[in-house]
Amino acid sequence: MGSPPLLLLFSFLLMLQHATRAEQTRHYKFNIQIANVTRLCSTKSILTVNGQFPGPKIVAREGDRVVVRVTNHVDHNVTIHWHGVRQLRSGWADGPAYVTQCPIQTGQSYVYNFTIVGQRGTLFWHAHISWLRATLYGPIIILPKLGVPYPFGKPYKEVPIILGEWWKTDTEAVISQALQTGGAPNVSDAYTINGLPGPLYNCSAQHTFKLKVKPGKVYLLRLINAAVNDELFFSIANHTVTVVEVDAGYVKPFDTEIVLVSPGQTTNLLLRTKPYFPGAMFLMKARPYATGQATFDNTTVAGFVEYQKPYSVSAFDKKLPLHKPTLPAFNDTSFAANFAGKLRSLATVRFPANVPQSVGRRFFFTVGLGTNPCPVNGTCQGPNGTKFAAAVNNVSFAMPTTALLQAHYFGQSRGVYTPDFPVYPLRQFNYTGTPPNNTMVGNGTKLVVLPFNASVELVMQDTSILGTESHPLHLHGYNFFVVGQGSGNFDPAKDPANFNLVDPVERNTIGVPAGGWVAIRFLADNPGVWFMHCHIEAHMSWGLKMAWLVLDGSLPSQKLPPPPSDLPKCG
């Protein structure tokens, strides 16, 4: 008679243990240190985390708390951004230098402390100061909560595929020279897959990524574009992949032979291998999607997909035929538009698409290039002797010397920023037609102020000033719904009628189409100061960035907590 209570107690203890295990605190130590790495026939010193390139992966489950102690052992100031993590009420851990924190100085440490809420999939971390993210990056893998399955079959194996960019020279010297001369920065020397350039580059056959697979299995490829300046096409020869997630949000699955991924974007792909050993090897390739007028690194990175043989001989047989994928032309804007149009939120009961159906605040931002005047008696290498610049609503963002979030929190904004970022272009013109003769931009540290829980619609419009170009815009602290996109100038009278308010894709980074526009919606439910910028680093260096200041709500759960005691100081 006594066994049922014992069974109940045992069941309760099991449930308690499960609940305890369900949400963990995961601790990591990131030591920023120099390592010598050889690529493309030459060795150079690069910044790394713990001597690894690419850096270590962060693995957590939805609901887990992540605590990362970052210690700076190098001569550069450093910050780390957890790209795409919502950072609900943890803006002090977001990471962009002079926005949510001052940089971590040499010999100093800072603890990033945040909880992953309502996200599962692939994101990544990277440095967020100057161009240090060229080598300081690594994956963030967010698993579903314990007991919650993927909305697709469990894969046999999961593999991060990180696309990066490599310069033979020091990238800090590259951007420093460009900002000094006013010209475009020197392009990279190679692209990489998991830090490896592959066999199409000099001296790189031994630095080739190889994905070893078994026949008849399903592999989850966690594709990350960590490149500095380039959107990239990606394909595996003779294989179709299924897109199941972007930016840590599930999407309606669709098959494709080619994927387009912009800097800052992530895409989870299911690779179904052939049922039997195919008697061949297959190249995976990535190369740029480039729509602007500037020169770009027009090279191709390659890796191998190798099938395990059914008999015990060397897995790598050079006699096997090698299949190569065909990638689109570098400026194939129609492929980009079609690919973007296939992305739809899963929009199920378990994974709903909570699209704001009404709008409280509307904004229209132009995004594009421009110029700044050359200093008196100077010689500049930008257009017509000027310096290259970039702007949102013709405001080229001037980085402050103290962190915006600290200035806001302590009521010390005077002289740091002004709350008057224009909600629409002050100078209106035919945005994708003949550009105006005056290409000069304004400069300032201006923010948009939003009340807590404001429902926001933002239309971002590319311009033809110095040529139309795709701009991948990243919003910190939020996901947003991509409710519409199109070519030419946005028409406020006609285009909103075609907005998708049912199952639009949810992202943190979206490409504003070359010569087109994109419309997004989000709910401003996360108090703090949130950076929004082009994830092409050259454009961000030129000023294609701005910030949103979201005020506290009235409830304690709607307010930004005080900063941690170890928050770095500027100076």
Side-chain angles (χ1 to χ4, degrees):
M1 293 292 290
S3 63
L6 279 173
L7 278 172
L8 282 170
L9 179 63
F10 184 67
S11 300
F12 174 75
L13 288 172
L14 273 178
M15 285 170 59
L16 191 65
Q17 182 188 27
H18 185 275
T20 307
R21 284 170 52 208
E23 294 181 358
Q24 302 180 13
T25 299
R26 301 183 184 249
H27 293 271
Y28 292 88
K29 289 184 178 177
F30 276 23
N31 289 296
I32 311 297
Q33 56 196 65
I34 298 289
N36 290 328
V37 175
T38 301
R39 297 288 186 271
L40 308 180
C41 322
S42 62
T43 300
K44 76 168 187 174
S45 296
I46 64 167
L47 269 59
T48 69
V49 167
N50 302 343
Q52 296 174 234
F53 173 70
K57 63 184 175 185
I58 297 279
V59 180
R61 289 194 180 274
E62 179 187 346
D64 283 354
R65 185 167 159 238
V66 177
V67 179
V68 188
R69 181 179 182 84
V70 177
T71 304
N72 185 3
H73 301 282
V74 301
D75 289 337
H76 295 278
N77 287 345
V78 171
T79 70
I80 302 292
H81 169 52
W82 317 95
H83 182 111
V85 174
R86 279 278 271 123
Q87 298 291 5
L88 283 164
R89 297 179 64 240
S90 56
W92 304 108
D94 190 41
Y98 302 106
V99 179
T100 59
Q101 67 167 99
C102 299
I104 306 166
Q105 298 179 33
T106 305
Q108 302 297 310
S109 297
Y110 180 50
V111 176
Y112 292 92
N113 187 338
F114 54 90
T115 299
I116 295 169
V117 180
Q119 295 179 285
R120 75 296 299 170
T122 305
L123 297 170
F124 72 117
W125 58 263
H126 61 78
H128 211 301
I129 182 168
S130 191
W131 281 25
L132 298 189
R133 75 176 183 87
T135 59
L136 282 174
Y137 61 83
I140 300 175
I141 294 167
I142 307 172
L143 302 171
K145 290 185 176 184
L146 274 174
V148 177
Y150 292 126
F152 45 84
K154 182 174 171 57
Y156 172 72
K157 193 175 180 184
E158 304 184 6
V159 184
I161 305 281
I162 314 174
L163 305 177
E165 209 165 352
W166 183 266
W167 276 259
K168 289 182 180 179
T169 52
D170 175 21
T171 48
E172 290 304 281
V174 170
I175 184 55
S176 176
Q177 179 190 27
L179 293 176
Q180 189 174 349
T181 64
N186 292 335
V187 301
S188 56
D189 297 292
Y191 300 103
T192 56
I193 298 175
N194 292 343
L196 303 169
L200 304 182
Y201 295 102
N202 288 340
C203 309
S204 298
Q206 76 277 27
H207 295 142
T208 299
F209 174 69
K210 295 169 185 172
L211 176 62
K212 297 180 185 293
V213 299
K214 294 180 178 180
K217 302 291 186 184
V218 177
Y219 291 78
L220 178 64
L221 306 184
R222 297 177 176 272
L223 183 66
I224 298 165
N225 187 344
V228 175
N229 287 322
D230 290 279
E231 303 181 76
L232 294 165
F233 295 116
F234 174 84
S235 183
I236 299 174
N238 290 27
H239 287 74
T240 297
V241 293
T242 304
V243 177
V244 292
E245 176 254 310
V246 298
D247 293 2
Y250 295 131
V251 296
K252 289 181 171 66
F254 67 92
D255 293 343
T256 184
E257 294 178 356
I258 300 162
V259 175
L260 175 59
V261 59
S262 297
Q265 291 184 339
T266 60
T267 306
N268 275 6
L269 309 169
L270 295 181
L271 171 67
R272 291 176 178 84
T273 58
K274 299 184 183 302
Y276 306 105
F277 176 68
M281 288 179 53
F282 305 90
L283 276 185
M284 64 171 72
K285 281 185 177 182
R287 78 168 183 220
Y289 168 57
T291 55
Q293 297 180 350
T295 56
F296 61 96
D297 177 357
N298 195 16
T299 62
T300 302
V301 60
F304 291 113
V305 175
E306 297 179 1
Y307 277 76
Q308 178 178 306
K309 290 189 173 182
Y311 45 88
S312 57
V313 294
S314 171
F316 183 62
D317 187 344
K318 292 179 182 175
K319 296 172 188 172
L320 290 175
L322 179 63
H323 295 286
K324 303 173 184 178
T326 301
L327 290 167
F330 71 86
N331 59 353
D332 193 339
T333 53
S334 63
F335 178 91
N338 291 334
F339 185 81
K342 292 177 184 175
L343 293 166
R344 293 278 187 273
S345 283
L346 203 52
T348 59
V349 173
R350 185 183 281 276
F351 304 109
N354 297 316
V355 191
Q357 297 296 308
S358 59
V359 174
R361 300 289 178 106
R362 281 191 165 84
F363 299 88
F364 182 86
F365 289 177
T366 56
V367 295
L369 305 185
T371 55
N372 272 320
C374 194
V376 177
N377 299 325
T379 303
C380 293
Q381 296 173 9
N384 301 316
T386 62
K387 302 184 83 165
F388 269 112
V392 181
N393 274 356
N394 210 47
V395 177
S396 187
F397 194 81
M399 293 303 291
T401 53
T402 189
L404 298 171
L405 187 58
Q406 286 169 267
H408 159 64
Y409 187 85
F410 293 110
Q412 299 170 345
S413 63
R414 186 183 298 275
V416 179
Y417 68 82
T418 55
D420 58 349
F421 189 89
V423 300
Y424 56 86
L426 301 181
R427 183 180 60 167
Q428 297 173 38
F429 58 98
N430 179 3
Y431 303 115
T432 55
T434 304
N437 292 327
N438 181 6
T439 61
M440 293 291 174
V441 300
N443 297 274
T445 311
K446 298 173 183 289
L447 275 58
V448 172
V449 179
L450 292 173
F452 182 82
N453 244 14
S455 174
V456 177
E457 180 179 285
L458 167 63
V459 175
M460 291 182 282
Q461 172 76 60
D462 184 37
T463 79
S464 57
I465 296 176
L466 303 183
T468 58
E469 186 167 356
S470 175
H471 296 282
L473 264 290
H474 171 51
L475 174 60
H476 289 231
Y478 287 91
N479 283 350
F480 49 76
F481 292 97
V482 184
V483 297
Q485 49 200 326
S487 59
N489 294 340
F490 174 72
D491 186 338
K494 294 179 181 176
D495 287 325
N498 297 317
F499 283 178
N500 175 7
L501 303 181
V502 177
D503 63 350
V505 68
E506 188 176 0
R507 305 211 71 140
N508 63 60
T509 305
I510 185 65
V512 179
W517 57 271
V518 66
I520 66 172
R521 286 188 181 184
F522 64 95
L523 194 66
D525 60 355
N526 194 9
V529 176
W530 303 107
F531 213 16
M532 190 176 83
H533 58 87
C534 184
H535 221 273
I536 292 174
E537 215 64 30
H539 297 170
M540 188 160 90
S541 298
W542 290 338
L544 213 168
K545 48 196 173 186
M546 54 82 64
W548 304 81
L549 196 173
V550 179
L551 301 174
D552 283 347
S554 56
L555 301 176
S557 62
Q558 299 171 340
K559 297 183 190 299
L560 179 71
S565 58
D566 65 338
L567 189 72
K569 293 178 172 57
C570 289

